[in-house]
Amino acid sequence: MSSTLSRPGPPEPEIIVIGCDHAGYHLKAEIFQLLREMGYQVEDVGCHRPDVSVHYPLYGKKVVEVVLSRPRARGVLICGTGLGMSVIANRFPGIRAALCHDVYTAEMSRRHNDANLLVLGGRVLSPDKAREIVKVWLTTPFEGGRHQERLELLEQLAREKPFFPES
Ligand code: RB5
């Protein structure tokens, strides 16, 4: 692990699980390389080629399953815009997926939202910008405190039966 990553705060993830659809394939290859350079253990759930159109929810769910089943795993998901992956990932309780197109949002998604999954748009971001976002996202700690209360509330509300007022 690079020494620039040592900061106070909770332990860093021990594994990063990464997945994409065909539109995220090229950026996934870049980010996979970056994560290895940074010293992370990386698990790549696919897809493994850019020339065959695939369904992003299938790869989104694969990444979610690993993140939810391992205590110190975090995920990175990439599709064309990041929107589809963001929608599928956030359907699962316990997942806080942050779609980030800039460094500020990536930082805040860790500080305030304790995001455990980063979503990127392969057709939106340059490789350099995406690398910056990933570095900040992986090295920024969660602030806890009032933000922890909000996350607990969020999980509680998501598990409650929705109330539909009569129209
Ligand atoms: C695939 O063409 C594209 O729809 C997908 O990658 C993603 O952007 C969906 O939200």
Side-chain angles (χ1 to χ4, degrees):
M1 190 78 57
S2 140
S3 59
T4 55
L5 293 178
S6 328
R7 289 186 177 202
E12 287 177 358
E14 62 187 18
I15 178 170
I16 310 294
V17 54
I18 188 165
C20 68
D21 71 356
H22 54 286
Y25 174 83
H26 292 294
L27 187 58
K28 186 190 69 172
E30 285 277 343
I31 300 306
F32 183 91
Q33 182 61 31
L34 169 69
L35 294 170
R36 296 308 305 272
E37 285 164 19
M38 291 173 82
Y40 287 102
Q41 185 189 335
V42 190
E43 187 170 319
D44 181 354
V45 302
C47 69
H48 298 293
R49 49 191 295 186
D51 55 334
V52 175
S53 182
V54 295
H55 298 314
Y56 62 80
L58 298 173
Y59 294 91
K61 190 169 182 214
K62 281 176 194 246
V63 166
V64 161
E65 284 168 346
V66 179
V67 171
L68 291 178
S69 63
R70 301 207 205 162
R72 282 177 54 202
R74 276 201 244 159
V76 178
L77 273 171
I78 309 172
C79 61
T81 56
L83 292 167
M85 287 298 197
S86 169
V87 170
I88 180 68
N90 279 312
R91 291 195 173 207
F92 297 90
I95 290 294
R96 295 173 302 281
L99 171 56
C100 298
H101 295 327
D102 58 63
V103 167
Y104 176 73
T105 315
E107 180 182 340
M108 297 313 287
S109 80
R110 290 290 311 136
R111 285 198 188 290
H112 287 190
N113 310 109
D114 196 20
N116 52 7
L117 210 151
L118 174 66
V119 188
L120 302 172
R123 292 173 176 163
V124 179
L125 294 168
S126 68
D128 284 350
K129 178 60 75 181
R131 289 171 76 99
E132 273 184 73
I133 289 172
V134 170
K135 282 186 199 166
V136 166
W137 189 74
L138 282 170
T139 56
T140 302
F142 176 49
E143 284 177 11
R146 67 188 191 281
H147 303 295
Q148 179 61 35
E149 284 175 48
R150 290 165 188 168
L151 296 189
E152 284 163 18
L153 180 61
L154 185 154
E155 287 299 325
Q156 181 197 317
L157 294 176
R159 287 167 206 266
E160 279 174 13
K161 209 171 153 202
F163 171 72
F164 300 108
E166 284 178 45
S167 51

